[in-house]
């Protein structure tokens, strides 16, 4: 037994050091976010994974601790206290607990966005429609059977354009599609067998301007629907900077609605109006530094009305909130949530919007 004491003490110290290292990496990721290419990988460490791993190491270290620990009493509890503080930060700040839903919210417009990330044949229509969307945004929109969705939006605006599908109970006054022109990276994609993606993804956007007359929103609603590259080799700060530059330079063409509901291509020069809602699969975790340049002072809908982790990817066991929505101050968000549509690789997001109360 005496020969085991030095080994046990060494194992105890090694486990505690590993726990401290995990916490330090997690904290460094929080502090630096994706300001640098190397720091974005630390920022992508999911909080529950980091804290669970550190807690497990502490639990393994406890029975190996020397019976007579000469360290000061307070030092022995420093690591558990740090873990408890980190847990409270995750629950109260990142997950916004406790947050109570608005049970008697006034009339609203419900927006649902879902990046299926693949062509789904069936098994998802009823789940989406059970959430009663007023504006439904789905991509890709290539080969899915749309009969049930089309029937639910019969007589309203239905658009299929460059892989984007729009179903809206409000008229879309005009829309425009644009590639974002983001410089490709190495194509790293852990979903592929060899971790390399052959398809070059430079990002894309669909800009919608909705006529909201008679709706709870008042003024027209401008939506920037974004689909950013998933290549993990790309520095996200550069991705959002390039996307912002492309959106700022865009002047057309636009597709403008005629009184009969048809659309005509108009090539006149017209910049994209500032967004009221930025939504989509951003492939950047919630709270990242890089999002600020793209969202132009808009506020994350989860910050306004969400609660819990709201992770959206991967669908079966989500660890990151990649599918997000950002809202202009003129709008109020009365509810925000992420739900499982039952198919695809991402979860869907839903938010309820209305005009914000006037400030006094």
């Amino acid at each position: 037994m005496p020969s085991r004491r030095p080994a046990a003490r060494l194992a105890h110290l090694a486990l505690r050091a590993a726990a401290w290292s995990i916490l330090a990496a997690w904290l460094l990721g929080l502090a630096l976010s994706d300001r640098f290419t190397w720091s974005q990988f630390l920022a992508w460490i999911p909080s529950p994974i980091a804290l669970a791993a550190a807690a497990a190491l502490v639990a393994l270290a406890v029975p190996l601790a020397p019976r007579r620990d000469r360290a000061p009493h307070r030092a022995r509890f420093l690591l558990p206290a740090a873990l408890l503080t980190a847990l409270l930060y995750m629950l109260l700040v990142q997950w916004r607990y406790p947050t109570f839903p608005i049970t008697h919210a006034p009339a609203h417009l419900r927006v649902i966005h879902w990046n299926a990330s693949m062509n789904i044949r069936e098994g998802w229509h009823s789940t989406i429609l059970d959430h009663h969307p007023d504006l439904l945004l789905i991509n890709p929109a290539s080969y899915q059977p749309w009969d049930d969705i089309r029937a639910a939006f019969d007589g309203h605006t239905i658009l299929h354009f460059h892989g984007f599908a729009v179903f809206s109970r409000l008229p879309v006054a005009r829309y425009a599609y644009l590639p974002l022109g983001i410089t490709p990276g190495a194509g790293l994609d852990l979903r592929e067998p060899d971790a390399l993606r052959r398809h070059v993804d430079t990002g894309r956007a669909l800009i919608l301007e909705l006529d909201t007359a008679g709706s709870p929103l008042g003024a027209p609603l401008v939506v920037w629907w974004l689909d950013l590259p998933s290549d993990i080799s790309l520095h996200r700060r550069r991705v959002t900077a390039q996307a912002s530059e492309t959106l700022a330079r865009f002047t057309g063409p636009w597709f403008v609605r005629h009184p009969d509901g048809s659309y005509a291509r108009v090539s006149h020069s017209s910049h994209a109006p500032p967004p009221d809602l930025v939504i989509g699969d951003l492939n950047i975790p919630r709270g990242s530094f890089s999002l600020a340049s793209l969202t132009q002072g808009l506020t994350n809908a989860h910050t306004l009305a969400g609660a819990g982790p709201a992770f959206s990817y991967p669908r079966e066991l989500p660890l990151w909130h990649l599918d997000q929505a950002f809202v202009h101050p003129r709008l109020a968000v009365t509810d925000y949530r992420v739900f499982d549509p039952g198919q695809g690789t991402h979860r869907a997001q839903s938010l309820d919007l209305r005009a914000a109360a006037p400030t006094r």
Side-chain angles (χ1 to χ4, degrees):
M1 291 297 293
S3 62
R4 293 182 58 188
R5 290 176 184 171
R9 180 174 178 80
L10 183 61
H12 170 76
L13 294 174
L15 289 169
R16 288 177 63 89
W20 275 118
S21 298
I22 291 173
L23 280 179
W26 176 72
L27 286 170
L28 191 60
L30 286 179
L32 296 180
S33 189
D34 52 9
R35 287 175 171 84
F36 310 100
T37 303
W38 63 268
S39 66
Q40 73 181 11
F41 297 101
L42 298 179
W44 294 347
I45 300 174
S47 295
I49 297 297
L51 301 189
L57 291 171
V58 171
L60 291 173
V62 168
L64 300 176
R67 293 182 180 180
R68 296 181 180 179
D69 195 337
R70 296 181 180 179
H73 178 74
R74 284 178 293 182
R76 294 202 304 269
F77 294 96
L78 186 58
L79 181 53
L83 272 172
L84 179 59
T85 303
L87 177 63
L88 290 174
Y89 174 82
M90 181 183 74
L91 294 176
L92 300 178
V93 178
Q94 293 184 323
W95 293 6
R96 300 185 69 249
Y97 284 135
T99 298
F100 303 99
I102 301 174
T103 55
H104 299 289
H108 59 258
L109 178 85
R110 175 160 294 172
V111 181
I112 290 181
H113 160 262
W114 180 36
N115 178 21
S117 192
M118 58 191 299
N119 292 311
I120 308 299
R121 298 303 303 172
E122 57 186 20
W124 55 273
H125 306 87
S126 60
T127 305
I128 294 289
L129 292 176
D130 284 348
H131 285 78
H132 308 291
D134 298 301
L135 174 62
L136 175 60
L137 310 172
I138 299 178
N139 71 295
S142 302
Y143 305 106
Q144 290 95 327
W146 297 105
D147 293 348
D148 292 348
I149 305 294
R150 282 182 171 274
F153 283 85
D154 185 41
H156 300 285
T157 300
I158 299 175
L159 301 172
H160 291 264
F161 201 75
H162 284 276
F164 290 104
V166 178
F167 301 87
S168 177
R169 302 193 189 282
L170 298 177
V172 176
R174 61 174 180 162
Y175 67 91
Y177 168 84
L178 66 154
L180 293 175
I182 295 165
T183 305
L188 295 180
D189 190 335
L190 299 181
R191 295 170 295 184
E192 300 295 334
D194 58 357
L196 289 175
R197 188 176 186 181
R198 271 63 185 178
H199 170 67
V200 177
D201 184 2
T202 61
R204 58 204 182 112
L206 189 68
I207 302 173
L208 305 168
E209 187 172 327
L210 278 67
D211 181 356
T212 58
S215 80
L217 302 186
L221 178 71
V222 177
V223 180
W224 288 9
W225 180 7
L226 308 180
D227 185 18
L228 299 184
S230 58
D231 183 352
I232 61 175
S233 73
L234 291 172
H235 184 195
R236 280 355 193 212
R237 189 175 178 181
R238 179 168 63 83
V239 167
T240 56
Q242 289 187 331
S244 299
E245 291 171 3
T246 301
L247 287 161
R249 291 195 307 265
F250 178 75
T251 57
W254 291 89
F255 292 83
V256 179
R257 182 184 176 94
H258 286 174
D260 63 359
S262 64
Y263 288 86
R265 187 177 188 271
V266 178
S267 299
H268 68 266
S269 177
S270 175
H271 285 281
D276 299 303
L277 173 64
V278 174
I279 195 168
D281 174 16
L282 305 182
N283 276 304
I284 301 172
R286 183 177 73 239
S288 296
F289 174 81
S290 62
L291 291 170
S293 66
L294 188 62
T295 55
Q296 303 189 12
L298 277 60
T299 305
N300 195 297
H302 180 271
T303 302
L304 296 171
F311 296 153
S312 64
Y313 180 84
R315 181 183 63 82
E316 297 87 348
L317 185 63
L319 294 172
W320 296 276
H321 189 187
L322 304 183
D323 304 84
Q324 301 172 63
F326 294 82
V327 181
H328 192 278
R330 78 171 185 87
L331 300 174
V333 183
T334 57
D335 184 72
Y336 178 83
R337 63 190 63 203
V338 171
F339 66 92
D340 184 359
Q343 296 286 340
T345 60
H346 289 244
R347 296 197 172 194
Q349 57 178 330
S350 168
L351 65 154
D352 294 347
L353 299 174
R354 63 175 176 83
T359 56
R360 295 181 179 179

